[in-house]
Amino acid sequence: MKTLLLKKEEVSTLIAMKDVIAAVEEAYKAFNSEQVEQPDYIGMHLPSPGSEIDFKLGYYKANDLISMKTSSGGFVDNPTAFGVPNGMGTILLFDARNGALICVMDGSLITGLRTGAAGAVSVKVLARKGARRITSIGTGNQARMQIRAIREVMKIEEIHAWDNSGDTLSRFKADIEKEFGIPVVVARSKKDAVEQADILVTTTRGKGSLVEADWIRPGTHIVAIGTDQRGKQELDPEIFRNAKVVVDSIAQCSEKGETWHPLERHIITKNGIHGEIGEILLGSKPGRERDDEVTIFDSTGMAIQDNTTASKIYSNAIERGVGTFFEFFES
Amino acid sequence: MKTLLLKKEEVSTLIAMKDVIAAVEEAYKAFNSEQVEQPDYIGMHLPSPGSEIDFKLGYYKANDLISMKTSSGGFVDNPTAFGVPNGMGTILLFDARNGALICVMDGSLITGLRTGAAGAVSVKVLARKGARRITSIGTGNQARMQIRAIREVMKIEEIHAWDNSGDTLSRFKADIEKEFGIPVVVARSKKDAVEQADILVTTTRGKGSLVEADWIRPGTHIVAIGTDQRGKQELDPEIFRNAKVVVDSIAQCSEKGETWHPLERHIITKNGIHGEIGEILLGSKPGRERDDEVTIFDSTGMAIQDNTTASKIYSNAIERGVGTFFEFFES
C-alpha cells in the first residue's frame, strides 16, 4: 500500500491560485449540497505561551476523500530555539472507500492559499462589477494572499493600505508593486484608506473594532478575514446593521466569526444573515443586487476548503509524477 | 526539519511486549497524575457498511509528545476489492515544545499491543497471586495478544478457550500451543470454560451477555476487553454486583464500556466503581485485597496508551537507527 509524500516545495509547484479558487468554490457548493461532513475540530493549547495545535477533519462525499489538517501556530520562540517556523502544518488524505492513507503533504501553504481564495470567491459574487480599488487593513502574509487571489477574478487598479506597523506596510508596498505591478498607496489614516475602498479587506489579528461604520461608502464589499476566534474583532458591529451579510458557515461565523459581534449586540439576528456563500454560488440565493448596497463576507475557514484544495494538489501530483511514494506496510 | 517514517515491519521489531506493558503502566499512572490531555476523539462512519475511521489525540506532558492515531476498521471488502486489510492505522507524533511533526509510523499493530498490555497490567494488580489458569472467551487476534501479554507477568499453566467459531478456536489452540507451549483446552461449553478460570478474558465483538453471573468462581479476575462502544456487551451485569470494579477511565467506561450495563440497570452506582487502574498503580487505592474477591478490569482504551507506546517505539528507532527520515520542508 503506497502513500504519496509531498514536500512544501512540491506543494507550491502543484497548484496555481486559480485552481485554489476553483477548489474553494467547489468546497462552498459542496457544503451547501449535503456533500460534506466536518466534525468539530480538536484544538489544544500547549505550554509555550500563545501556542496551539489544531486538528481539522473534512469528508467530501463526492470525491471520496477525507482530509485531516494539523496546524500548529504561535510558537514564537521556534525560529531561534528550534530553527523551525512558528507555525507548521501537515495534511493527511484518506480514501473514504477503504480507509487507506493515500497522501501525507506539508500543509504550511494550504491555509494561506485557501483563505486568500475565499476572499476572491466572495468578490466574484458580492463586489460591484465596476470595483477597481482595494483597501487593505493589515498588510501581512494573508493580505498579500488576498491580493494574489482577488487579481485572478478582477482588475485591481490601486490598493490603499494601512497597517499599525510602518515596516510591514513598506514591505507590502514594495512587494505588491514589484510582483503584480499594482500601485499601493500608503494611507495617511485608516479612515482615508477605508473611504477609498470598492473592496475592503481586513486581515489583521485585531482584538477590537478597527473600521468605523460611517467610513464605509455605499456599494463597498467587505472581506472580513481576520476574525476566526472568539475575542478577535476588526469591524464596528454597526457596519452590519444595513449590510448584506454572507458567511462561509452560519454555525461557525455566529460563534467565532466577525458576525458574532453584531449578533451579541442585537444589531442583527441570525435570521438577518443573508446566507452562506455556497447558497449564492448554487444560485439558491442572490448575490449583490444593487450597486449601492454594502456587502460583507465573513470567512472563518472550513475543513472542506482544505479537503478540495489538497485533493487538487494530490491529483496534480499523481498526474505529473511529483512526490515520493512510501510503503508504510506491504500488502 | 526531518520527520521519521516507520513501516509496519520496523514498528514490529522496535518494541517487545514487556516494553508495551511498561508503556501502558506509565500511561495509566500519567492519566491519574494530571499529566494527560485526551480531547474527545473524532469518529466518522463511512459509506461501506460497518466501516469507520477514528482520530484519537493524546498529549503527555511529561514526555512533551502529542500523539494522533488514526484508525480505520470494518471495511470488509478491502482484501478483495482493494488488496488492503479491513482496518489500517497511522500514528503521528508531534513535539509539544514547538508543534513539529517528528514521526509518522504505521499504526496497525499498536492498538492490539497496547490493549493486550492493558490486560496484563490489570493482572499484576488484581489477579490472585496463585492464578495459573486463564479462560479465554473469544479466540481472535486480541485473545492471542492478551495471552502474549499476560504470560509476561505470570506463569500460565493452562488455557480454557471458547469461541462461537470452531475454526477460529482450533487455530487459536494450534497457534498458542506452538508459539508459547501452553496447553489449550477446547471447552465443551462457555460455562465449563468460565468455571475453570482464575482469570477470565473476554475479547469478543459480543452484543449481549455471554457470561452468566453464577458461573464465576470466588477469586476470579475478569479482564473485560471487548466492550468499547455503546451496544456491545459480554458480561451479565449481575457479575458487577459484588465485584471490585476497576476501569481505565471512569468517564469512558461509564459511557461506553462494559460498566455501562450495570450502571444502566442500577446494579452498581458510579460511586460503587472501586477506581481507575492508575490510582491502584500509584498506590492511592488498593488492588486485590482478598483471595476470594471477584475483580473486574474494564478497558475501553485510551489515547495516552497509544502515546506512551508510540513514544517508546520512536525513541527505540532513534537509538537503533531504524526508519527513514523525510524532509517535508527545509528549514
Side-chain angles (χ1 to χ4, degrees), chain A residues 1 5 7-8 39 42 44 47 55 57 59 68 75 78 82-84 88 97-98 106 327-329 331, chain B residues 1 5 7-8 42 44 47 55 57 59 68 75 78 82-84 88 97-98 106 327-329 331:
Chain A
M1 225 283 300
L5 308 178
K7 303 177 185 221
K8 182 176 177 183
I42 305 178
M44 203 181 254
F55 297 82
L57 185 67
Y59 167 34
M68 166 59 89
F75 291 89
N78 268 6
F82 299 98
V84 294
M88 290 171 274
R97 297 168 306 164
N98 51 35
D106 183 76
E327 226 173 355
F328 282 102
F329 62 90
S331 59
Chain B
M1 225 282 301
L5 309 178
K7 302 176 185 222
K8 182 176 177 183
I42 305 178
M44 203 181 253
F55 297 82
L57 185 67
Y59 167 34
M68 166 59 89
F75 291 88
N78 268 6
F82 299 98
V84 293
M88 291 172 274
R97 298 169 305 166
N98 52 34
D106 183 77
E327 228 175 351
F328 281 101
F329 62 89
S331 59

Side-chain angles (χ1 to χ4, degrees), chain A residues 148-175:
Chain A
R148 201 175 140 193
I150 293 172
R151 67 186 280 280
E152 296 283 344
V153 301
M154 68 173 258
K155 175 156 174 48
I156 307 174
E157 285 180 354
E158 199 174 70
I159 297 166
H160 293 256
W162 178 89
D163 201 292
N164 57 15
S165 154
D167 279 359
T168 311
L169 187 48
S170 306
R171 280 200 303 276
F172 177 80
K173 176 176 165 64
D175 292 349

